[in-house]
Amino acid sequence: MAKGVTSEPERIASSNLNNKPRYSKQHTPSSSSKISQFLHYSPKLSIYLLVTFTFLLILFQIQSLQIPSQPPTTNSWTFMRRWQNVINNTNLSTLAKQYCAQDLESTASKLRDAVTFLPLKDLRYTSSAQQGHTWFMSSMYDTHEEGEVQYQQFPSEASKGRLLCLKGRDTHEGAWNSYALAWPDTLPHNATLLKGVTFVSYNHYNYDNIWHGLSAMVPFVAWHIKNGCAAPTRWVLYHWGELRMKMGPWLRALMEATFGEPLYIEGFTHDQEVGGPDDHGNNDDDDDENPFCFEEAVVMRHNEGGMSRQRRIEVYDLLRCKARIYCNVSIEGRNAEVDEKAGVPVIGMTMFMRTGARSFRNPSAVIAIFEKECNKVEACRFRVAYSNNLTFCEQVKLMSSTDILISPHGAQLTNMFLMDRNSSVLEFFPKGWLKLAGVGQYVYHWIASWSGMKHQGAWRDPDGEKCPYPEDDRRCMSIFKSGLIGHNQTYFSEWARNVLDDVKMRKMEELACLMNEEKQHQHQNCYC
């Protein structure tokens, strides 16, 4: 090809060569260095990577410093607990706790204000209180197991853990005294919490009459036996809802003997001395508005109702035994006494006399009849006593030496449970009681059965003071109630002989058993 003439491909290559940028030899980039050059000159990407790395490092440091080392888990609840631990260590937790405390205090205040006191004496039931419904604390139900005593206990499952609170000290109108239930941590305002066990007794009779008072105390003794011999710190006594601060000396001594400590009757005063104020409640009026709540309370309002005969016998056995110990009398009773000359068991016959209403019209004649029959029986010892002349312990000693008790109907017959089991009782009534006295005339039949005695019958005088009304008119009872009792020599003599023969035979059998050492333990008639 001629010189100076170029082909087409050569022109294109020459053109490209002339247009190519000029670099020095040492700065000509290679293919392997282009990526690093790009990173070096990308500031946004470098900042992004640096921030990401720093954030991950901070999270790792926080976790390692704040959270104890634990096995890895994906459980969300574990994470929430860890987060809660972090929160609790901050001021936010303190603020939350303060808020909760204020909220709890507000709720407690509302609960205190919500405690509602109701009258102890529900006037809706005053006319039917003895017909199966009690108006004392009428909104409450009793706990009752088959054969056991009926009672209320606070706190308990039935009370939903609430305590019993009482307010008022009225001794003349029970409707002015009131009760309420309250949570232990939210007692009513100005309430006084009384520690220990409190026995609260309701009695529609009174606590001076030994039969009425004893019928109110027996349920507490049954509860005492059933609950590991728990004893009360104090007693609260109500009669028709009215506060009482005294108990008859006989009944008080029996309760002190049974529970082994002096009796404290609560009068609901802050400056009360042991034994309580007088029966009129002459204390500061300010205390009437301040409620008293009990750490533990046992309430009885049905007397002996619902108890089985076996449970009653256990109660009277305990009362007898405790009374004998209290008065330093042998708990073995008459079973161990034998006449040394005749070699036969001693029989004690006691006439327990009264003065005034329901006494014998001719006591000397009646005494002579029974004394004569006793003298006919070997080793029979006859005694005459008046209950109003004897202290509690003197009555305990007399009854412990008595196998046959002869007495007019009256409270003094309550002492019969202090005799040995299977002892005999003879009872006498004035004219008119059979028709008009109602079921109350049978109370000593009942206590004889409940305490393991033998009621050998009752003699009812056919003669007596005349009533100006028809003899079946209930107005006559006010006359017959205070009547005197005559006598029938033939009937009394035969009655005494039959009972003496029965007692003599029984005691001979008991002596034979006592002579047998293998059976001796079966005839201990005192349960302590």
Side-chain angles (χ1 to χ4, degrees), residues 77-90 92-93 96-97:
W77 178 245
T78 301
F79 173 78
M80 291 300 295
R81 285 191 299 170
R82 291 177 176 179
W83 181 246
Q84 186 64 44
N85 289 336
V86 173
I87 293 177
N88 288 340
N89 292 326
T90 66
L92 180 62
S93 175
K97 290 179 180 179

Side-chain angles (χ1 to χ4, degrees), residues 202-269:
Y202 155 70
N203 191 2
H204 55 273
Y205 298 116
N206 60 67
Y207 299 95
D208 291 324
N209 181 287
I210 65 175
W211 158 246
H212 297 166
L214 180 62
S215 65
M217 297 297 106
V218 162
F220 290 105
V221 181
W223 185 91
H224 165 77
I225 294 174
K226 190 174 184 293
N227 289 272
C229 298
T233 303
R234 68 188 59 78
W235 295 74
V236 180
L237 307 179
Y238 287 105
H239 168 65
W240 292 107
E242 303 161 2
L243 189 64
R244 295 289 181 262
M245 285 159 281
K246 284 186 177 180
M247 187 182 286
W250 183 94
L251 186 62
R252 187 181 189 111
L254 180 62
M255 291 300 99
E256 290 181 352
T258 302
F259 294 103
E261 55 189 24
L263 210 65
Y264 179 84
I265 301 176
E266 183 62 60
F268 298 126
T269 59

Side-chain angles (χ1 to χ4, degrees), residues 219-394:
F220 290 105
V221 181
W223 185 91
H224 165 77
I225 294 174
K226 190 174 184 293
N227 289 272
C229 298
T233 303
R234 68 188 59 78
W235 295 74
V236 180
L237 307 179
Y238 287 105
H239 168 65
W240 292 107
E242 303 161 2
L243 189 64
R244 295 289 181 262
M245 285 159 281
K246 284 186 177 180
M247 187 182 286
W250 183 94
L251 186 62
R252 187 181 189 111
L254 180 62
M255 291 300 99
E256 290 181 352
T258 302
F259 294 103
E261 55 189 24
L263 210 65
Y264 179 84
I265 301 176
E266 183 62 60
F268 298 126
T269 59
H270 293 288
D271 57 349
Q272 180 186 2
E273 297 180 358
V274 174
D278 61 28
D279 197 36
H280 300 290
N282 296 327
N283 296 294
D284 295 337
D285 294 336
D286 293 341
D287 289 327
D288 291 343
E289 299 303 320
N290 295 329
F292 288 79
C293 303
F294 307 101
E295 182 180 40
E296 185 176 356
V298 179
V299 181
M300 301 291 180
R301 56 182 186 168
H302 283 102
N303 291 348
E304 300 181 58
M307 294 175 62
S308 66
R309 181 174 181 270
Q310 181 58 38
R311 176 60 76 188
R312 296 174 202 257
I313 286 178
E314 290 178 3
V315 170
Y316 282 105
D317 279 349
L318 180 65
L319 290 171
R320 178 189 310 115
C321 187
K322 292 290 189 178
R324 289 182 177 181
I325 293 174
Y326 180 80
C327 297
N328 296 316
V329 176
S330 171
I331 62 174
E332 294 181 358
R334 301 291 284 171
N335 289 334
E337 189 171 359
V338 178
D339 184 273
E340 294 180 358
K341 294 182 179 180
V344 296
V346 173
I347 298 176
M349 176 181 279
T350 300
M351 287 198 68
F352 217 17
M353 309 293 279
R354 289 174 60 95
T355 58
R358 297 192 303 281
S359 61
F360 289 108
R361 187 176 292 109
N362 189 345
S364 299
V366 178
I367 290 172
I369 294 170
F370 286 97
E371 185 176 18
K372 179 180 179 180
E373 295 303 324
C374 181
N375 290 335
K376 295 177 181 179
V377 177
E378 201 169 23
C380 181
R381 299 175 182 176
F382 184 78
R383 297 177 182 176
V384 178
Y386 286 82
S387 60
N388 58 332
N389 292 334
L390 302 178
T391 65
F392 170 75
C393 279
E394 287 172 342

Side-chain angles (χ1 to χ4, degrees), residues 11 31 67 108 150 152 156-157 194 228 234 240 258 272 289 302 343 366 371 386 395 401 405 416 469 497 501:
R11 287 198 303 269
S31 61
I67 302 175
Q150 302 178 59
Q152 297 170 345
S156 64
E157 183 178 349
L194 300 179
R234 68 188 59 78
W240 292 107
T258 302
Q272 180 186 2
E289 299 303 320
H302 283 102
V366 178
E371 185 176 18
Y386 286 82
Q395 293 179 68
S401 62
L405 182 62
M416 73 171 70
Y469 311 105
R497 284 195 297 270
D501 288 343

